[in-house]
Amino acid sequence: MITPILPRPRLQRLVRLYAGLVLYGLSGALLIEARLGSMPWDVLHQGLALRVGLSIGTWSVIVGAALMLLWIPLRQKPGLGTLSNVVVIGVGVDLFLWLLPTTDSLVLRAGLLALGVLACAVATGCYIGAGLGAGPRDGLMTGLAARGWSVRLARTVIEITVVVTGVLLGGTAGVGTVVFAVTIGPLAQVFLPMFRMTEMPSEEPSSPHR
């Protein structure tokens, strides 16, 4: 069941990848349920869901798949993690939105916001640390960086464009969006080294003694 081309340790990488992607879906649902401003891409997904129909998670899958088409001219190569990112996060967002209770308490909503940001940072460390391919949104950023953009400029332009488009469509941007944008980088920087995996050397038969 485990693809032999995966770097070793294979099972541990797969567990870390899918645990991270499920947790990322949970983080998105927490931020949406907080109703204080979603993460930038979910602002767009919300707006599309409101204007066109379908669920937020479904739009996450559709947008992720469309972004992978942009990888072709940017010469980015998808991996198992890329393809899994497109599907698992979108399904996870819809599942957890269905499971999470709704609250009008500002204190509880602020708690959901804080928990969502922290969960996203841990999730980022897990799925990127597995080393099985960047997500479609990250690949767009790195592809532009490979064409001469700075990573900071590429991320800023992409996320501002996404948020503005999402807001115009009716998505929710607010203090939570700002808090996410400001804190996710430093927090992810903490968790990435904790979960980063290195490839183990292949076992080779030892030379016979003479």
Side-chain angles (χ1 to χ4, degrees):
M1 295 296 292
I2 301 174
T3 306
I5 62 172
L6 296 179
R8 300 172 62 233
R10 295 166 188 154
L11 179 60
Q12 188 176 348
R13 286 182 187 274
L14 289 171
V15 170
R16 191 161 297 187
L17 168 66
Y18 289 109
L21 294 178
V22 171
L23 187 58
Y24 204 106
L26 173 60
S27 71
L30 287 168
L31 288 163
I32 292 168
E33 198 59 57
R35 304 195 309 280
L36 294 171
S38 305
M39 62 179 71
W41 282 98
D42 279 341
V43 176
L44 175 62
H45 303 150
Q46 278 184 302
L48 289 167
L50 288 169
R51 290 286 183 176
V52 184
L54 304 179
S55 67
I56 295 172
T58 300
W59 276 110
S60 176
V61 174
I62 293 171
V63 171
L67 288 174
M68 287 189 63
L69 296 177
L70 296 178
W71 281 34
I72 298 173
L74 293 174
R75 298 180 182 178
Q76 297 294 290
K77 295 181 180 180
L80 175 63
T82 310
L83 302 174
S84 300
N85 182 295
V86 172
V87 177
V88 176
I89 291 179
V91 172
V93 167
D94 279 349
L95 173 64
F96 289 115
L97 281 175
W98 179 66
L99 292 174
L100 289 172
T102 300
T103 179
D104 292 324
S105 167
L106 182 59
V107 173
L108 291 178
R109 287 163 58 199
L112 291 177
L113 169 62
L115 187 58
V117 173
L118 180 61
C120 186
V122 176
T124 300
C126 282
Y127 94 80
I128 292 180
L132 296 177
R137 295 154 184 83
D138 292 330
L140 178 61
M141 176 186 66
T142 56
L144 290 173
R147 294 296 178 274
W149 295 45
S150 69
V151 172
R152 179 177 298 179
L153 176 61
R155 178 163 186 158
T156 300
V157 170
I158 291 169
E159 294 198 346
I160 288 177
T161 302
V162 165
V163 170
V164 170
T165 304
V167 169
L168 291 175
L169 291 172
T172 304
V175 63
T177 310
V178 176
V179 169
F180 179 88
V182 170
T183 60
I184 191 61
L187 285 172
Q189 192 67 32
V190 172
F191 290 106
L192 276 169
M194 294 173 58
F195 294 105
R196 183 175 290 118
M197 300 182 68
T198 56
E199 184 173 356
M200 293 175 61
S202 301
E203 294 183 2
E204 297 181 357
S206 57
S207 300
H209 295 289
R210 291 186 179 182

